Amino acid sequence: MAYTYDPQNIFARILRGEIPNKTVLETAHTLAFHDIHPQAPIHVLVIPKGPYVTFDHFAAEATPEELLDFHRTTASVIALLGAGEGGYRAITNSGLNGMQEVPHYHLHILGGRVLGRMLDH
Ligand code: 5GP
């Protein structure tokens, strides 16, 4: 599958420092920041710094260092925010069916309340 990355997407602009963000954690390959429209008391987005469009793009083409850093940083974010104790949901949306709004791979970490069932229907 060929992936086309749009360098003008909003998360690319955040990574270039053109748009501010509320950073939770930043490493060499990964940035975690608060969602601008939180849907739960904890709602953080974890993104790789590299130009990956979707989860499958990242999983298929990222380097071992990027993959490791992304997942270890996500674990650190969950620990930092205390999301592990009560539990949380990690979601990623892709493309039209997933109703992905921003075409830069991101993992939503949601927690701080009972989140309800994963899908309404
Ligand atoms: P998606 O629907 O692509 O999975 O989720 C995109 C998420 O990005 C949404 O939850 C939306 O609130 C968030 N978002 C969109 N623009 C911005 C922004 O400029 N800053 C931050 N922090 N979050 C954003």
Side-chain angles (χ1 to χ4, degrees):
M1 161 133 186
Y3 302 94
T4 306
Y5 183 79
D6 171 13
Q8 293 311 320
N9 80 75
I10 204 110
F11 294 169
R13 299 186 63 203
I14 283 176
L15 286 167
R16 287 196 296 269
E18 295 168 10
I19 294 174
N21 73 92
K22 285 197 201 166
T23 299
V24 176
L25 209 54
E26 180 169 11
T27 67
H29 297 295
T30 308
L31 179 67
F33 54 97
H34 293 282
D35 196 290
I36 202 164
H37 294 126
Q39 294 186 40
I42 295 171
H43 189 172
V44 172
L45 303 171
V46 188
I47 69 172
K49 290 186 174 178
Y52 302 103
V53 182
T54 57
F55 165 76
D56 54 290
H57 186 196
F58 182 64
E61 296 187 8
T63 65
E65 290 77 15
E66 288 174 312
L67 290 164
L68 183 66
D69 186 77
F70 182 86
H71 290 95
R72 289 283 159 78
T73 302
T74 302
S76 297
V77 165
I78 289 166
L80 201 64
L81 298 177
E85 285 86 53
Y88 61 90
R89 182 169 292 152
I91 305 175
T92 184
N93 299 313
S94 171
L96 282 177
N97 286 350
M99 299 186 71
Q100 181 178 12
E101 181 190 324
V102 180
H104 181 114
Y105 171 49
H106 49 283
L107 191 62
H108 297 256
I109 304 294
L110 295 140
R113 67 168 170 84
V114 175
L115 294 162
R117 295 176 69 86
M118 188 166 69
L119 296 175
D120 287 338
H121 39 257

